[in-house]
Amino acid sequence: MISINNLTVNFGSFSLLDHINFHISESDKIGLVGKNGAGKSTLMKIICGEMNPTSGSVDKPQHVSIGYLPQIMEHHRGRTVMEETLTAFDESNEAERAVERITAELSRRTDYESREYSLLIEQLNELNDRLAVWHSEPPKVQAEKTLRGLGFLPSELGRLTETFSQGWNMRIELAKILLKHPDLLLLDEPTNHLDIESIEWLEGYLKDYTGAVMLVSHDRKFLDTVTRRTVELMLSHAYDYKVPYTQYTELRAERIAQQTAAYENQQRMIEKTEDFIRAFRYKPTKSNQVQSRIKALEKLDRIEIDETDNATLTVKFPPAPRSGDIVYKCSDLTVGYPQKVVFEGAGIEIKRGEKVAFVGRNGEGKTTMMRVIVGELEPISGESRLGHNVDFGYFAQNQEDVLDKRDTVFSTLDRIAVGDIRTKLRDILAQFLFRGEDIDKRVSVLSGGERARLGMAKLMLQSHNLLALDEPTNHMDIKSKDILKQALKAFDGTLVIVSHDRDFLDGLVDKLYEFRDGHVREYLGGVSDFLAKRRIESLQELERSAPAVTAESAPSPAGRVSYSEAKEKSREERKRRNRIDFLEKEIARLEHKMKQIESVLEAPGEGDDIMELTREYLECKRELDAKTEEWGEFLD
């Protein structure tokens, strides 16, 4: 469908992309990955025609349509959410008028065998095919389903777009692009402003999308679910893997290991051959052998190891001073602003050492609650207090507003550092990938990822026992997020984090508070447990409200969910959870039994039957493997 041929992008003497080649087929689902600054957004802009390369070309048939969602965009004003979204159908309205024109012209013509007549028929067929996709349902129904999937409430569709934040306006633009059904979707970090439930809806939509998709995302689970192919940009080159992200990381590691082993073997062979040549070069009896080996070396295809960018964060938070058992507690809390109450009746308790996540739709109060905890906002009513000896470090979501754009990278830290830590500022900045001339950059020219890293570096200047982090991973690449996650897991203080990144939260937090419909609800366990519970609750809500669901208000783009379907899904989910609980108990029982047998086998007594114990052990192992495999299948 689209071919990228020898694409090169230079900025002065710096080569961002160097002779990039790959092909995008009609139904490809591609994850475009690489470090911040590797050229992912630049490549997307070139493919959609917004930017020209230094050399090379993008070959695209004229009829192929592209929908492009950039990271930063201008938003339209003066229309409601629904009115703005329906502009996505302007092209279909024009197509309908074109069908009418072509049909009228065909009815007048009689040159049925001419090339012009055939071209008109082809054009008419193509337009009708597109209209069949666009008009699978009435435009307003499609628009409402898509907007609701992306998190808008029915009551919000009549509000003017300028009354929403930039993140919500991005969702409107995303809805418009999806509703146009282009042949190729180019999505640059589409999940950055989405909450967890909207991300899951978008996952399902893109997974079933009939056209091609190329997306940039730092959400590993999102990439694994949606994509079937991974193109990596690294050190100006592109590497194409026909697998999703996690498999790509494994294949990439295998490829580098194989290259390294082959290179080392070849180097040993070359060294031995050169030793032979040096030893016998001047001995007449060996001259033929020497010449033969010299020629063999000249013809040898030398193995080279692909360059890799090994620069990574090295984050380690300072030890946390001891705080009281209760780090933060609020009760019957009502929070908001003069024009709006955000939530009410909230009760939250965070204990020392807990790692807690705030989750929910954007605008439901997660960041607002953070501001209450750190003292930036007074609650309307209720009790809110920090515990004894709590010293918090706060990472705000809007680092662009928090950091002084006039400062340099170095002066940002130098301005607040005190004592001996001032002598280590360059080392700290190096840990966050600010090296050499980077430390003299103005904050105003930093990318989103660089600002996030600089904001995180500020947190390391002092020891805190409470870290309050609001969307710390936005704009961070996957490798940097993994390193930050491990550092936070090792942090011995208390963590409160706002994030929509399921993979980042998974295994990091042990309690969640969901902000939803003006209330706050506690969930014990990890993010996977929370999502499983929320799905069950959503199905139960469908059971209660199913008779009132109409075609226009159906919550999913896949169509209406009937009462009986919702009930059946709820029943199946209960059966699934019961089976999982049973398997987990059986796995624990078998593991315990095998440990008992192992202890006997290590020091058998006179009456112990070694053969029988071994047979019983192997039987337990077979049963354990079978139940573990079944348990894993339920969780996939």
Side-chain angles (χ1 to χ4, degrees):
M1 185 172 70
I2 296 177
S3 291
I4 289 84
N5 305 311
N6 291 315
L7 209 65
T8 297
V9 177
N10 295 326
F11 294 102
S13 60
F14 171 67
S15 180
L16 180 65
L17 302 174
D18 186 20
H19 293 91
I20 301 296
N21 291 279
F22 64 93
H23 183 80
I24 302 173
S25 299
E26 290 182 357
S27 58
D28 269 340
K29 302 290 191 296
I30 301 172
L32 186 61
V33 303
K35 285 198 159 193
N36 292 335
K40 303 184 295 293
S41 297
T42 299
L43 180 57
M44 283 194 164
K45 289 176 182 176
I46 292 171
I47 292 173
C48 73
E50 286 197 2
M51 182 176 173
N52 294 319
T54 305
S55 63
S57 64
V58 175
D59 293 342
K60 178 181 77 71
Q62 192 170 2
H63 68 274
V64 170
S65 58
I66 296 176
Y68 173 50
L69 180 78
Q71 285 188 44
I72 302 171
M73 67 197 77
E74 292 185 6
H75 305 298
H76 300 282
R77 293 170 169 267
R79 298 192 187 105
T80 66
V81 172
M82 178 58 75
E83 288 169 346
E84 180 59 33
T85 305
L86 287 175
T87 62
F89 294 94
D90 289 349
E91 191 177 343
S92 75
N93 296 334
E94 177 57 37
E96 286 179 341
R97 290 189 287 270
V99 166
E100 291 174 2
R101 289 195 301 270
I102 294 171
T103 302
E105 184 173 350
L106 288 172
S107 66
R108 292 192 299 269
R109 299 182 72 134
T110 57
D111 54 337
Y112 309 121
E113 304 299 327
S114 69
R115 176 61 178 158
E116 291 79 6
Y117 194 92
S118 297
L119 287 173
L120 285 172
I121 292 292
E122 288 176 15
Q123 190 177 353
L124 182 63
N125 289 336
E126 185 182 319
L127 287 169
N128 280 324
D129 288 343
R130 287 195 172 278
L131 287 171
V133 175
W134 282 325
H135 292 176
S136 56
E137 289 179 297
K140 191 172 181 181
V141 174
Q142 293 185 58
E144 184 169 347
K145 285 182 179 181
T146 303
L147 289 167
R148 290 189 66 181
L150 291 172
F152 285 92
L153 299 174
S155 59
E156 295 173 329
L157 304 186
R159 278 175 51 186
L160 292 172
T161 58
E162 55 262 37
T163 64
F164 288 90
S165 68
Q166 181 179 349
W168 282 98
N169 273 281
M170 187 281 291
R171 297 188 193 208
I172 297 171
E173 295 301 314
L174 176 57
K176 288 162 58 178
I177 291 169
L178 298 179
L179 289 167
K180 289 179 180 178
H181 299 283
D183 298 304
L184 171 63
L185 281 170
L186 296 175
L187 307 178
D188 195 350
E189 297 199 26
T191 62
N192 263 4
H193 297 285
L194 299 182
D195 51 68
I196 288 176
E197 290 181 46
S198 298
I199 291 173
E200 291 202 309
W201 178 89
L202 183 60
E203 270 181 2
Y205 189 101
L206 295 178
K207 188 177 179 182
D208 297 332
Y209 191 70
T210 54
V213 178
M214 175 183 277
L215 60 90
V216 173
S217 177
H218 297 147
D219 185 326
R220 185 198 308 268
K221 187 176 185 301
F222 187 73
L223 286 170
D224 277 340
T225 302
V226 175
T227 66
R228 298 191 291 268
R229 178 179 164 198
T230 304
V231 174
E232 178 193 32
L233 297 182
M234 183 177 65
L235 298 174
S236 306
H237 299 293
Y239 300 87
D240 197 348
Y241 297 80
K242 311 298 184 187
V243 293
Y245 181 83
T246 297
Q247 288 178 263
Y248 137 75
T249 59
E250 296 166 358
L251 290 178
R252 182 177 180 275
E254 288 176 11
R255 177 174 64 83
I256 297 298
Q258 290 168 359
Q259 276 187 347
T260 302
Y263 173 81
E264 290 173 352
N265 286 336
Q266 189 182 67
Q267 290 300 304
R268 282 194 292 270
M269 183 273 291
I270 292 171
E271 186 177 349
K272 288 180 180 178
T273 304
E274 289 175 340
D275 287 344
F276 180 88
I277 293 169
R278 280 193 296 269
F280 299 106
R281 180 185 291 272
Y282 302 109
K283 292 195 175 183
T285 57
K286 298 284 188 178
S287 61
N288 289 338
Q289 294 179 45
V290 169
Q291 289 303 316
S292 174
R293 298 195 183 193
I294 289 173
K295 290 177 181 177
L297 282 183
E298 290 173 350
K299 294 178 181 178
L300 185 66
D301 187 8
R302 304 274 176 145
I303 296 171
E304 294 182 357
I305 300 175
D306 290 334
E307 286 187 279
T308 56
D309 187 349
N310 293 317
T312 58
L313 297 180
T314 51
V315 184
K316 185 178 180 182
F317 290 97
R322 187 176 178 84
S323 68
D325 287 339
I326 304 299
V327 172
Y328 175 79
K329 185 173 183 178
C330 70
S331 57
D332 200 24
L333 198 69
T334 297
V335 174
Y337 305 93
Q339 65 273 27
K340 182 186 179 183
V341 171
V342 180
F343 59 84
E344 57 188 355
I348 294 174
E349 182 175 280
I350 300 171
K351 296 181 180 179
R352 182 179 67 241
E354 283 189 327
K355 293 182 168 57
V356 179
F358 291 167
V359 298
R361 287 173 77 243
N362 292 344
E364 291 283 359
K366 305 184 297 295
T367 296
T368 303
M369 186 67 231
M370 278 288 204
R371 294 185 63 206
V372 172
I373 291 175
V374 302
E376 286 188 0
L377 181 68
E378 287 293 321
I380 295 172
S381 63
E383 182 183 6
S384 172
R385 59 184 175 85
L386 286 171
H388 173 67
N389 199 36
V390 171
D391 178 14
F392 64 81
Y394 180 39
F395 179 94
Q397 182 179 159
N398 56 332
Q399 288 297 308
E400 184 174 351
D401 298 333
V402 174
L403 298 173
D404 191 329
K405 296 178 182 178
R406 295 167 296 181
D407 283 343
T408 65
V409 169
F410 183 83
S411 64
T412 297
L413 299 194
D414 189 52
R415 186 184 295 274
I416 59 174
V418 294
D420 293 341
I421 198 71
R422 297 186 66 133
T423 64
K424 301 177 182 177
L425 291 185
R426 291 178 184 273
D427 293 335
I428 292 173
L429 287 170
Q431 291 176 355
F432 286 87
L433 308 185
F434 294 106
R435 299 185 176 98
E437 296 178 356
D438 290 340
I439 68 172
D440 297 321
K441 284 183 179 178
R442 296 277 178 191
V443 171
S444 58
V445 303
L446 298 181
S447 68
E450 288 173 325
R451 289 179 185 177
R453 297 202 307 266
L454 182 58
M456 199 61 63
K458 287 177 64 178
L459 284 182
M460 293 183 60
L461 295 185
Q462 294 176 304
S463 296
H464 304 290
N465 50 31
L466 170 61
L467 293 180
L469 311 181
D470 192 356
E471 300 284 10
T473 63
N474 272 5
H475 307 294
M476 273 194 184
D477 59 61
I478 292 175
K479 189 183 289 187
S480 297
K481 287 199 301 184
D482 286 345
I483 292 166
L484 176 60
K485 179 177 177 177
Q486 295 309 313
L488 291 174
K489 287 175 73 173
F491 175 59
D492 58 353
T494 307
L495 172 67
V496 181
I497 185 168
V498 174
S499 178
H500 60 257
D501 190 323
R502 296 153 300 171
D503 186 65
F504 186 76
L505 293 177
D506 194 24
L508 174 61
V509 300
D510 42 39
K511 184 164 69 174
L512 295 94
Y513 285 96
E514 183 190 24
F515 291 71
R516 188 181 186 88
D517 300 331
H519 298 282
V520 182
R521 183 176 177 184
E522 180 184 79
Y523 288 85
L524 298 178
V527 68
S528 298
D529 299 319
F530 161 73
L531 290 172
K533 290 174 185 175
R534 283 294 295 124
R535 289 188 194 103
I536 295 170
E537 289 167 7
S538 296
L539 289 171
Q540 291 170 345
E541 288 169 12
L542 282 173
E543 282 190 41
R544 290 192 291 271
S545 61
V549 176
T550 66
E552 288 199 1
S553 62
S556 165
R560 185 186 302 134
V561 179
S562 69
Y563 177 84
S564 60
E565 287 173 335
K567 192 170 184 179
E568 181 62 24
K569 286 182 180 178
S570 183
R571 188 185 298 115
E572 288 297 319
E573 182 63 23
R574 285 196 298 273
K575 285 171 63 179
R576 190 182 77 86
R577 291 304 308 175
N578 289 338
R579 183 63 180 170
I580 289 173
D581 291 340
F582 168 78
L583 289 170
E584 289 174 345
K585 290 175 183 175
E586 282 294 288
I587 289 169
R589 180 184 68 80
L590 288 166
E591 287 176 338
H592 178 67
K593 187 174 181 180
M594 288 170 67
K595 285 180 181 177
Q596 288 180 320
I597 296 173
E598 285 172 355
S599 63
V600 175
L601 289 173
E602 286 173 359
E606 290 183 0
D608 293 324
D609 187 340
I610 304 299
M611 294 297 292
E612 178 60 26
L613 285 169
T614 303
R615 185 198 62 76
E616 190 177 356
Y617 181 89
L618 292 173
E619 189 63 35
C620 285
K621 188 175 186 309
R622 279 194 293 271
E623 190 177 352
L624 176 65
D625 290 343
K627 284 185 166 52
T628 302
E629 184 177 354
E630 183 183 355
W631 177 78
E633 289 172 355
F634 271 107
L635 296 183
D636 283 343

